[in-house]
Amino acid sequence: MDENLLSDLISQALKAGADAAEAVGAERNAMSVTVRLGELEEVEREEARDLGLRVFVGKRQATVSGSDISPEARAKLVERAVAMAKLAPEDPYAGLADPELLARGPLPELDLYDPTEPSPETMEARARAAEDAARAVEKVTNSDGASASWSSSTWRLVTSGGFSGLHRASGFSIGASAIAADEGGMENGHDWRSARWQSDLPAPETIGAEAGRRAAMRLGARKIASTTAPVIFENRLAASLLGPLIGAIAGPSIARGTSFLKDKLGQQLFAKGIAITDDPHRVRGLGSSPFDDEGVGNRPQALIDDGVLTTWLLNSASARQLGLKSTGHASRGLAGPPGVSVNNLTLQPGEKSREELMADAGSGLLVTSMFGPSLNGNTGDWSVGCSGFWFEGGEIAYPVTEITVAGNLVDIYGRLIPGSDLEIRGASNAPSILVDALAIAGR
């Protein structure tokens, strides 16, 4: 979106009575193609252009958004935002980002934009190839479909504090879901990959074959008795254990006093040697950005360093409330004030492969699917529905289903052991994780 249009929106807001303002322009083009059982099922095309405006009147703030960018609509947007701000309750921590923290000078080159726009025919061919490969796997009898997608997005932020920044990115993905069956029942399996650049995607046949393989491996899944045993979380989903960590060290949670980690800053939370990093400047990273959503300069950092919790995740408002400075983790959409998020979160790998972790554990549960997590944010008590495989003697014995794994996350974090099989699949990544003993609820 044109920088002059956003600058004009800021000027109008100041003339209408705002003391400060920030404007966001977002443009998105996207397409997805889905096939099922060899037939084209759906083609979706999206084209959107939207505006967001946040204004401050003293310590009062309001945000509005709209998709009509005509001069008349922009004038109404400004009028509504300023009127809302004047009626809003005061927030002593509201305001634009501190000027000294804004991203300045040449922004890092992150190589996030691939100008290639695949045709619908090309995307259909990819989806068909993925589904064909899945259906070719032995014991696969049906398909939940396969899809290919593409997107291109532009995000521009302009503030009355003098910041103007542009963030442009593309995305490509392929996914497939297969159903396998035998006399004992049916099971499904899926695989997917996303990338900033089309050339970084695996072949669709690889995606489909893996979806089929995972479905076939699930046949014969059993229920097991409740027990306590070692649990290994597969690398594809192990980063899910880090989601509650991010919520618990987010500045707004700390400021409200509602986090189970509120007293853990600077303390040993994980075992020595463990590192969890956040890198907004990863080249072609799915979570990368050259600045945060308030224009604050961001940087790679270790959230967990040698097992120690090093920082809270702060936007400007939560930083002011805690008497600190923003860490460059502000995140916002077009409407509403900023929240907090990470960028490319990574649990750094350990030294042992998943097979070696299984050998060390002897017998236990390998989790390959998780659903319905439950968390008490004040205590860290956590549980999640799972399916996967029981292993014995360090080898997979049989698939299992309808189980729940539970524990306290402070205890889990203190005992988890990362494997060496890290794969960068998304914006949050981890190798397989072993926890030496967890409660497993079965039949």
Side-chain angles (χ1 to χ4, degrees):
M1 189 168 291
D2 183 62
E3 180 179 4
N4 292 331
L5 186 150
L6 298 180
S7 296
D8 180 64
L9 198 65
I10 296 290
S11 298
Q12 289 185 55
L14 298 179
K15 290 177 182 177
D19 297 311
E22 66 179 18
V24 173
E27 296 185 60
R28 174 177 166 83
N29 292 286
M31 180 170 57
S32 65
V33 176
T34 303
V35 301
R36 184 172 183 272
L37 298 176
E39 299 294 330
L40 180 63
E41 186 168 75
E42 188 174 50
V43 179
E44 289 188 346
R45 176 81 193 200
E46 175 191 354
E47 295 183 6
R49 185 165 58 170
D50 299 284
L51 282 173
L53 176 66
R54 182 164 65 135
V55 301
F56 302 88
V57 177
K59 288 296 182 179
R60 306 172 192 270
Q61 67 174 318
T63 61
V64 294
S65 62
S67 55
D68 186 347
I69 65 169
S70 67
E72 297 79 13
R74 299 202 307 270
K76 291 180 180 178
L77 199 73
V78 168
E79 180 183 357
R80 188 164 75 248
V82 174
M84 289 170 59
K86 290 178 178 178
L87 296 174
E90 285 199 355
D91 178 353
Y93 310 110
L96 296 176
D98 296 337
E100 69 271 15
L101 300 180
L102 295 175
R104 301 292 188 189
L107 296 175
E109 177 48 61
L110 304 178
D111 203 20
L112 303 180
Y113 181 69
D114 180 351
T116 306
E117 180 179 345
S119 68
E121 293 78 14
T122 296
M123 295 173 66
E124 181 181 351
R126 288 176 187 162
R128 286 185 183 277
E131 188 187 45
D132 289 348
R135 296 173 69 192
V137 174
E138 185 178 0
K139 296 186 178 180
V140 169
T141 60
N142 207 336
S143 168
D144 272 337
S147 63
S149 66
W150 157 86
S151 66
S152 172
S153 61
T154 301
W155 169 277
R156 187 185 292 276
L157 172 67
V158 176
T159 78
S160 60
F163 178 82
S164 177
L166 175 68
H167 174 209
R168 194 176 192 188
S170 56
F172 302 82
S173 67
I174 302 172
S177 182
I179 299 172
D182 62 11
E183 62 280 0
M186 295 188 299
E187 297 287 345
N188 60 21
H190 66 277
D191 196 25
W192 76 99
R193 282 300 177 94
S194 298
R196 289 295 187 195
W197 280 69
Q198 180 174 257
S199 59
D200 291 338
L201 282 177
E205 293 83 0
T206 302
I207 301 293
E210 178 65 10
R213 185 188 74 85
R214 296 178 75 88
M217 286 183 65
R218 297 282 313 140
L219 291 173
R222 315 176 193 176
K223 298 180 182 179
I224 60 173
S226 297
T227 186
T228 297
V231 175
I232 295 176
F233 297 90
E234 182 187 33
N235 60 356
R236 297 203 330 169
L237 52 72
S240 298
L241 272 71
L242 305 182
L245 169 71
I246 298 311
I249 65 173
S253 297
I254 300 302
R256 290 193 302 267
T258 57
S259 166
F260 67 94
L261 298 179
K262 62 185 179 183
D263 300 319
K264 299 295 185 181
L265 185 64
Q267 295 188 20
Q268 194 81 36
L269 186 59
F270 292 77
K272 285 186 176 296
I274 288 182
I276 299 176
T277 58
D278 181 39
D279 184 3
H281 297 168
R282 177 182 291 158
V283 173
R284 298 193 180 186
L286 287 168
S288 296
S289 64
F291 50 85
D292 83 353
D293 288 355
E294 292 181 307
V296 171
N298 51 20
R299 60 182 177 83
Q301 56 186 299
L303 310 182
I304 302 293
D305 186 11
D306 200 22
V308 174
L309 175 61
T310 67
T311 184
W312 303 133
L313 306 176
L314 303 174
N315 58 18
S316 295
S318 61
R320 292 180 186 122
Q321 191 168 357
L322 294 168
L324 301 169
K325 291 187 176 183
S326 172
T327 58
H329 286 98
S331 174
R332 59 164 294 187
L334 292 168
V340 166
S341 72
V342 289
N343 297 278
N344 294 301
L345 186 74
T346 306
L347 171 61
Q348 296 299 319
E351 297 180 353
K352 294 187 176 182
S353 67
R354 191 181 79 182
E355 290 71 25
E356 290 173 318
L357 294 179
M358 291 170 60
D360 287 348
S363 63
L365 174 66
L366 170 64
V367 175
T368 59
S369 178
M370 296 167 59
F371 49 89
S374 174
L375 172 68
N376 183 322
N378 288 303
T379 66
D381 290 334
W382 173 82
S383 64
V384 66
C386 299
S387 61
F389 298 87
W390 189 258
F391 61 90
E392 296 175 350
E395 301 287 340
I396 288 178
Y398 50 84
V400 295
T401 190
E402 295 184 29
I403 51 182
T404 300
V405 170
N408 183 274
L409 286 173
V410 174
D411 179 55
I412 291 171
Y413 290 157
R415 293 188 292 125
L416 68 79
I417 300 172
S420 61
D421 57 343
L422 175 67
E423 293 182 2
I424 304 300
R425 300 177 65 97
S428 186
N429 303 279
S432 294
I433 291 172
L434 167 65
V435 183
D436 57 10
L438 283 178
I440 302 170
R443 63 173 183 267

